[in-house]
Amino acid sequence: MNKSLVETAAHGVGAIRLGRRPVPGQWRLVDALGKLAGWMGGDRAVATPWPGVCLETDLTDRIQRQMWAGMYEPHVTACFDALIEPGDVYFDVGGHIGYHAVAAAHRVGSAGRVCTSG
């Protein structure tokens, strides 16, 4: 088994839904797959949450494993999709590793601006 196979499995498991809700135990399984991927191929992995967007994640961190698997805060992503439009300005106070800033940048496009502090 290699790291890319584990990553594919994590993304597949992360995409499963019962209606709008995740499957019971899904978060734990994705977390375990992230730990396994980190053990197999190092602590760093690249997440691609949106087409053309890459974000380096640390697989020793539970939150960043969720980002890597594409399961981090889907309700926030849905809000971004509904509220942020191309050309908007977005301020991210306390940006951590920049996940929300990257999400906002993806939505506002080249005509918009994203400002973050962190």
Side-chain angles (χ1 to χ4, degrees):
M1 187 177 341
N2 62 28
K3 186 175 178 178
S4 63
L5 178 63
V6 174
E7 182 176 2
T8 301
H11 287 278
V13 170
I16 298 171
R17 295 280 183 266
L18 291 174
R20 293 177 55 184
R21 297 175 170 258
V23 175
Q26 181 177 13
W27 294 92
R28 288 184 181 156
L29 180 56
V30 165
D31 192 54
L33 288 168
K35 287 180 182 179
L36 178 62
W39 178 75
M40 292 174 69
D43 295 338
R44 298 278 179 204
V46 176
T48 53
W50 304 277
V53 176
C54 295
L55 185 70
E56 185 174 316
T57 57
D58 178 359
L59 294 177
T60 64
D61 182 86
R62 180 182 58 85
I63 299 298
Q64 292 186 44
R65 284 193 298 270
Q66 292 175 4
M67 293 174 188
W68 168 78
M71 293 186 59
Y72 182 65
E73 296 190 342
H75 58 287
V76 174
T77 303
C79 285
F80 279 20
D81 290 344
L83 299 173
I84 299 175
E85 297 186 9
D88 283 352
V89 176
Y90 175 83
F91 289 93
D92 186 359
V93 179
H96 193 239
I97 71 164
Y99 186 87
H100 292 125
V102 170
H106 180 72
R107 293 289 300 150
V108 302
S110 60
R113 295 187 58 88
V114 173
C115 303
T116 185
S117 68

